[in-house]
Amino acid sequence: MSARFRLRPRPLSPHLLIYRLTITMAMSIVHRLTGVVLYLGSLFFAWWIVAVSAGQKSYAVFDLFAASLPGKTIIFGFVWALIHHMLGGIRHLIWDGGLWINLPEARGIAWVTLIGSVTLALTAWIAGAFIRTLIQ
Amino acid sequence: MTSMRTPRRRVRGLGAAGSGTGDFWLQRVTAIVNVPLAVGFLALLIALSGSNFDTARTWIGNPIVALMLILLTFSAALHMRLGMKVIIEDYVHGTILKIACLLGNTLFSTVVGVSCIYAILRVSLSS
C-alpha cells in the first residue's frame, strides 16, 4: 500500500565516502581494526606460550620464526596494536564517564592515542633491543 | 517525541540485539582489568626479548608471572569474544550465517583461552 505513495526513493544516510576523514573517526576505525588484529594475534600469543610448555624443540621452531623478519613484524604489530587499543580503550572509558566529550578535547585525546601508541611501541621495542644486547 | 515502543518493551530496556546491558558492562569490566595486566605482559615481553628457552620457562613459571598471565588470558578472552560479537552483529546480517559466526567466535575464544591457561599451568606447576 505504501509503495504507491513512494514517488521517490527513501532518503539514505550519507555514505562513508562523502565524509571528510576526521581524527576521531579515524581513531574509531583503528580501534576496531586493532581489536581484530589482537583477536588474530592471540593465536600468536598462544603459539608462544604453548611452545614454551611443550619443550625445547617446539620453542626452537617458534623462536626461529619470531627472529625472522615476518616474525618481528608480527610481534611489533601486535605490541603496537595492544598499546593503541589500550590507549583507545582508556579514551572510551573517559568518554563513558562523560569527560572530554566536547570536540576540542575529544580531538586532543584522539591524537594522544595515535602519537602515544607509536611512541610507546617504539620505546618498548628499543627497550627490548637494549635488553637483548645486555644478554648477548 | 512519542515512542513507538510499548510500555512493557520500555521497562525491559532491550534493544535490537535482544539482550540487555550485560555485554556492555562486562566489556568495560574486562577492559579495566586488562589495562594493568597488559602493561605487566608488555613488561614481561621486553624483559624476555632475545632470551633462551630456559629463561623464558623460568619467568613464565614464576607464580606471580603465571598468575598474571592466567588472569590476563581469562579477561582478554572474554573481552575479545565480546568485541568480535559486536563486529559480527554489525556486519553479518543473515540469521544462519550470523549464528554460525557467533558460535565460531565463542569456540575460538574458548579454545585460545583454555589452551593458553593450560600451557601456563603446565609450565608453572612443572617447574
Side-chain angles (χ1 to χ4, degrees):
Chain A
M1 183 191 101
S2 61
R4 256 197 320 147
F5 300 102
R6 249 177 228 158
L7 296 177
R8 47 181 184 174
R10 304 295 301 144
L12 291 170
S13 57
H15 291 298
L16 269 179
L17 292 174
I18 73 158
Y19 280 108
R20 178 173 57 88
L21 191 72
T22 59
I23 185 67
T24 42
M25 177 182 163
M27 287 310 105
S28 173
I29 295 166
V30 174
H31 190 71
R32 183 163 276 198
L33 278 179
T34 48
V36 174
V37 165
L38 292 170
Y39 187 91
L40 300 173
S42 71
L43 278 177
F44 198 73
F45 172 73
W47 183 17
W48 174 58
I49 210 90
V50 168
V52 171
S53 82
Q56 198 123 29
K57 264 189 198 158
S58 324
Y59 189 74
V61 176
F62 173 83
D63 211 27
L64 194 70
F65 181 75
S68 71
L69 189 63
K72 278 180 175 166
T73 313
I74 288 176
I75 295 172
F76 184 77
F78 184 82
V79 166
W80 172 75
L82 181 61
I83 294 171
H84 192 281
H85 198 78
M86 183 165 68
L87 294 181
I90 292 170
R91 187 175 53 121
H92 277 289
L93 288 171
I94 292 170
W95 284 344
D96 284 346
L99 297 168
W100 294 343
I101 200 80
N102 294 319
L103 257 188
E105 294 102 321
R107 282 201 193 110
I109 48 172
W111 276 110
V112 168
T113 319
L114 181 62
I115 296 166
S117 68
V118 174
T119 314
L120 287 175
L122 287 174
T123 310
W125 202 253
I126 292 164
F130 180 67
I131 286 178
R132 227 170 305 161
T133 54
L134 283 186
I135 294 171
Q136 283 144 12
Chain B
M1 200 180 135
T2 326
S3 172
M4 296 296 281
R5 288 191 170 179
T6 61
R8 182 171 174 272
R9 268 292 182 202
R10 226 177 34 243
V11 166
R12 289 186 69 197
L14 304 175
S19 65
T21 54
D23 282 3
F24 174 91
W25 191 250
L26 187 60
Q27 188 73 318
R28 265 81 192 158
V29 171
T30 50
I32 293 167
V33 170
N34 279 344
V35 173
L37 293 171
V39 170
F41 168 65
L42 284 170
L44 178 72
L45 272 193
I46 293 169
L48 282 181
S49 67
S51 61
N52 58 22
F53 175 72
D54 291 326
T55 320
R57 217 181 148 83
T58 312
W59 274 82
I60 293 165
N62 176 287
I64 303 288
V65 176
L67 196 59
M68 181 196 80
L69 287 175
I70 289 170
L71 289 172
L72 175 65
T73 307
F74 184 64
S75 178
L78 288 174
H79 188 82
M80 75 182 201
R81 178 182 162 264
L82 287 177
M84 189 53 82
K85 186 168 177 252
V86 172
I87 295 178
I88 292 167
E89 285 164 354
D90 275 358
Y91 303 131
V92 185
H93 299 302
T95 308
I96 303 223
L97 186 62
K98 186 162 94 177
I99 290 173
C101 287
L102 290 172
L103 263 176
N105 179 35
T106 302
L107 277 176
F108 178 88
S109 308
T110 309
V111 169
V112 169
V114 173
S115 311
C116 288
I117 291 174
Y118 174 72
I120 299 161
L121 283 175
R122 201 172 156 207
V123 172
S124 186
L125 296 179
S126 65
S127 59

